[in-house]
Amino acid sequence: MWRSRKNKIKRLKASNGQWCDDPLEMANMAKQFFQNMYQKDEHVMPDQLINLYSEKVTANMNELLCKDFTDEEIGDALFQIGPLKAPGPDGFPGRFFQRNWGIIKAEVINAVRAFFKDGVMPDQVNDTAIVLIPKISHPETLSDFRPISLCNV
C-alpha cells in the first residue's frame, strides 16, 4: 500500500504552469505530451544518415534471417521467457504457457506462423502497460518522468 500510494501521480503541472489533479485530464496531458515527443522530425533526412553506414547484412545472411521459424525455435523462445515475468492483462505469466505447452503448442505455433505470414496480430496480443518512472524525487511535469513499456507474455 505504501508503494502504491508513493507511486501514484496525484497532480501534474501543465505547460501553462497550472496544476491539474483530474485523472482524466492528466491522462490526456500525458497522451498529448508523449505523442508530441515521439513525432517524426520532418527536418531529419534519413537518407543522409543511412548513407553514413556500410551494408552489414549480406544477401546470404538476409536469406537465413528471413527463413520461417521451426516449431523448435518457437518453443525455445517461449521457454526463454521468465516464468513469472510480466503477466499480461489476462493475468497469464510465461509459466502458464510453459506448463501447458503440450496442450497449447499447436495453437501457439499456428498463431506465430500466421503473424509472420500475414503481418496481422490481434490487438489484445500486443497490449502493453506504459508506466511513468520518475527521473527526480519530486516530479511535477511530464518531462520529469521516463515512460517504460511493460510488455506482456
Side-chain angles (χ1 to χ4, degrees), residues 36-49:
N36 289 341
M37 178 184 282
Y38 295 111
Q39 274 188 42
K40 178 180 176 183
D41 185 343
E42 298 297 331
H43 297 97
V44 174
M45 300 298 177
D47 291 339
Q48 293 174 346
L49 296 174

Side-chain angles (χ1 to χ4, degrees), residues 97-110:
F97 295 96
Q98 293 164 354
R99 287 194 173 168
N100 295 288
W101 187 238
I103 299 168
I104 62 174
K105 176 181 179 178
E107 289 183 56
V108 171
I109 287 173
N110 289 338

Side-chain angles (χ1 to χ4, degrees), residues 8-12 19-31 132 142:
K8 185 174 176 122
I9 300 172
K10 295 177 185 82
R11 65 184 193 152
L12 287 171
W19 286 98
C20 171
D21 60 2
D22 176 43
L24 197 56
E25 194 172 327
M26 288 192 301
N28 288 331
M29 284 171 53
K31 181 179 177 183
L132 300 178
L142 285 163

